[in-house]
Amino acid sequence: MTVIRHILVPNSYHDSVFLMELSRGLGERPGVEAAGVMMGTPANVAVLVESGLLAERPEGVSPADLVIAAAAGTDVEAAEALEWATRSLTAPAGRTPPDSPSGGAPAPRVGRWQWRELPESARLALISTPGPYAAAEAWKALRAGRHVALFSDHVPVEDEVALKQAARDRGLLVMGPECGTAIIGGVPLGFANRLRRGPIGLVAASGSGLQEVTCLIDRFGSGVSHAIGTGGRDLSAAVGGLTMQQGIDLLLGDEATRMLVLLSKPPDPQVAASVLRRVAHARKPVVVCFLGGDPEPIEAAGASVARTLEEAARLAVELATQRPIPAISAAEVPETPVRQGEPPLLCGLFAGGTLAYEAMLVLRAALGPIWSNAPLDSDHRLPETGQLPGHTCLDLGAEEFTAGQPHPMIDGARRAARLLDVAADPRVGVILLDVILGLGSEPDPAGTLLPAIAQARQIAGRGERTLHVVASVTGTADDPQPYAAQVEKLTKERVVVAESNAAAARAAAALVMA
């Protein structure tokens, strides 16, 4: 019998990254079956109620209160788990309890200090707070003369526009909201990888796309000066590309940057025109990758067009080093067909939203329409039934999957569970994955997936079908989870590992058509 318990910690604000780490640690306590740690906003409380971790909304809870809930096998296990979580909140700054799953490793903490107390050398503030608090903290940083990297989501678009306009007027930069990745002067922010320094500067309205391109640049033998994240809404009509345009100007004026790369899903046409007008006057080479966008305006602006993230990295290194870079070769796929008869379905399970988008473009060209929760066109949005109507790619980092839960880059357990659900569908013969390494990602992304992959093959085998799994690994040799070691783990489990996300999508399509 499952026992569900919760506690409220009044007026205990903590940033979202810390809460995700604490929630993951709580879920790893002995006997704990499910757990959630969230600020007491109405939306968060609703998520806990819907997931069964709360029977009803606690009386008197406010957005400033912390809600800690756990479902365990016994009352003792539930009580001990909640007691551990409480001790984690009061542990010395920067430490988790010594018996935590991370073994006492440093954990993010929130300090109460004034922006003016920071030394002048602290020129950038990384803000990761729930949306209702994020804009206020960003305003404090701007007024204190600091650049801002705003990791937080759920920030109203009108606040984003006001912050970015104020920053521009002050000669400062606001990256975000939803700036998941940036590298400034070699310092990684958010989800980022350990890269060599070099002459290539990037501005991107994409976190996972920025990681993919910078890691490929590193693998191709060059390096990155700065990688500026804009946030996913920056190139919308509402925001107008404020950070993208400011980032272009900053990199064009940076002596260490010899060429630029711009990354985004298709921008608003008028915003794209404004961005490309700046590109047309640039005195440095520029590569533009607007995934799925019209290449003609880019060519007219004198920039190099990249149709995939892989191509953006290759062209960038060629322009920066003046040497040819061979295209990534096709991944070697098994000759064993999935089954006789009708072609199998493909299902992609992605942690990175832009990687899912790129994969869908590649797959659509080979296989036709791709269904998704974040589709290329509105006609192919997944129905709410949960059934697969055809070839499908899921962006598991989207809000509907991460509300109140760790992002799949932080904790891949939910993606592993989804993999088993997909494998149980007798029509599915190919599963496509992205494995994203780096700072902020879980310690062993491949290792989290391997047991589920092995079990999924057993499920398929009972139905007398072959299940192929294809993956790409976004990372470098210097990441905390070294690239080669992660690739080796996957290949030992007979996963087809491609050298880029686009190459993995091509390999997956080839298996479907075999």
Side-chain angles (χ1 to χ4, degrees):
M1 179 178 177
T2 299
V3 177
I4 299 173
R5 296 284 183 268
H6 78 273
I7 56 174
L8 297 181
V9 186
N11 297 314
S12 181
Y13 167 75
H14 296 269
D15 72 84
S16 57
V17 173
F18 174 72
L19 294 183
M20 285 188 288
E21 291 286 352
L22 183 58
S23 182
R24 181 172 67 178
L26 182 59
E28 294 173 355
R29 301 302 300 168
V32 173
E33 301 167 5
V37 184
M38 306 182 190
M39 299 305 301
T41 64
N44 285 345
V45 171
V47 167
L48 291 172
V49 171
E50 184 177 348
S51 64
L53 288 170
L54 288 177
E56 58 185 14
R57 178 180 175 83
E59 186 176 350
V61 66
S62 78
D65 301 334
L66 185 64
V67 185
I68 305 174
T74 68
D75 194 67
V76 171
E77 289 170 334
E80 288 180 347
L82 295 179
E83 193 271 336
W84 174 86
T86 304
R87 284 191 290 118
S88 297
L89 298 175
T90 57
R95 306 299 296 182
T96 51
D99 63 338
S100 69
S102 58
R109 298 289 293 170
V110 175
R112 296 184 178 275
W113 37 265
Q114 298 295 321
W115 289 101
R116 295 182 183 85
E117 295 174 4
L118 287 172
E120 282 299 314
S121 58
R123 299 296 302 148
L124 185 146
L126 173 60
I127 297 174
S128 174
T129 68
Y133 308 97
E137 294 301 318
W139 279 114
K140 292 176 188 176
L142 291 178
R143 290 173 182 134
R146 267 68 179 187
H147 303 286
V148 171
L150 194 51
F151 187 88
S152 307
D153 56 9
H154 299 293
V155 176
V157 68
E158 55 269 23
D159 286 339
E160 176 176 352
V161 172
L163 285 165
K164 290 183 172 183
Q165 290 175 339
R168 181 189 58 193
D169 295 343
R170 289 170 164 84
L172 299 171
L173 185 68
V174 169
M175 296 181 284
E178 300 180 40
C179 175
T181 301
I183 303 169
I184 305 300
V187 178
L189 304 171
F191 297 112
N193 304 86
R194 288 178 176 159
L195 309 163
R196 72 186 85 195
R197 299 292 302 279
I200 301 172
L202 302 96
V203 191
S206 158
S208 61
L210 186 56
Q211 286 189 263
E212 173 81 349
V213 174
T214 54
C215 288
L216 289 172
I217 287 171
D218 185 273
R219 233 178 291 160
F220 288 149
S222 189
V224 171
S225 58
H226 306 280
I228 297 172
T230 69
R233 295 185 306 209
D234 189 72
L235 294 175
S236 66
V239 183
L242 289 168
T243 300
M244 175 72 77
Q245 295 181 67
Q246 199 176 358
I248 292 170
D249 293 344
L250 289 170
L251 292 179
L252 290 176
D254 178 52
E255 293 183 1
T257 300
R258 294 208 298 267
M259 64 85 51
L260 279 67
V261 179
L262 309 182
L263 305 172
S264 176
K265 297 174 186 176
D268 172 82
Q270 292 187 349
V271 176
S274 297
V275 168
L276 293 174
R277 280 194 291 271
R278 273 179 161 75
V279 169
H281 293 94
R283 296 184 178 180
K284 297 178 181 180
V286 181
V287 172
V288 178
C289 181
F290 290 160
L291 286 169
D294 185 357
E296 290 188 9
I298 299 172
E299 293 171 342
S304 298
V305 177
R307 290 171 174 79
T308 64
L309 302 170
E310 169 194 316
E311 188 177 12
R314 184 173 58 79
L315 290 174
V317 175
E318 287 185 342
L319 290 168
T321 64
Q322 295 298 302
R323 60 181 174 86
I325 302 297
I328 286 176
S329 57
E332 188 173 334
V333 299
E335 296 181 0
T336 308
V338 175
R339 66 175 176 212
Q340 300 297 323
E342 290 295 319
L345 288 187
L346 176 148
C347 185
L349 302 174
F350 284 86
T354 299
L355 298 185
Y357 195 90
E358 179 189 42
M360 286 190 285
L361 289 170
V362 173
L363 293 170
R364 184 174 66 177
L367 304 177
I370 308 296
W371 295 81
S372 178
N373 61 312
L376 298 176
D377 58 78
S378 59
D379 291 340
H380 293 95
R381 181 170 296 279
L382 273 177
E384 295 182 1
T385 60
Q387 295 182 342
L388 303 183
H391 301 304
T392 300
C393 284
L394 293 178
D395 173 11
L396 297 177
E399 289 182 5
E400 62 262 36
F401 292 113
T402 59
Q405 302 295 339
H407 191 281
M409 287 170 59
I410 294 175
D411 184 355
R414 291 180 181 273
R415 180 160 64 151
R418 177 76 60 163
L419 193 154
L420 294 178
D421 291 340
V422 167
D425 188 327
R427 301 170 299 160
V428 173
V430 181
I431 294 177
L432 177 60
L433 305 168
D434 60 341
V435 178
I436 305 176
L437 315 181
L439 302 169
S441 292
E442 64 177 319
D444 186 10
T448 300
L449 293 168
L450 290 181
I453 291 172
Q455 189 175 347
R457 284 211 171 97
Q458 292 175 359
I459 293 170
R462 290 196 290 269
E464 298 184 351
R465 62 190 168 100
T466 300
L467 179 67
H468 292 302
V469 181
V470 182
S472 66
V473 178
T474 298
T476 72
D478 293 327
D479 279 331
Q481 324 86 338
Y483 175 82
Q486 292 285 297
V487 171
E488 182 180 8
K489 285 186 176 185
L490 292 166
T491 53
K492 281 185 176 179
E493 192 55 48
R494 296 179 290 119
V495 174
V496 176
V497 180
E499 293 185 47
S500 73
N501 181 64
R506 292 192 290 267
L511 283 166
V512 170
M513 296 185 294

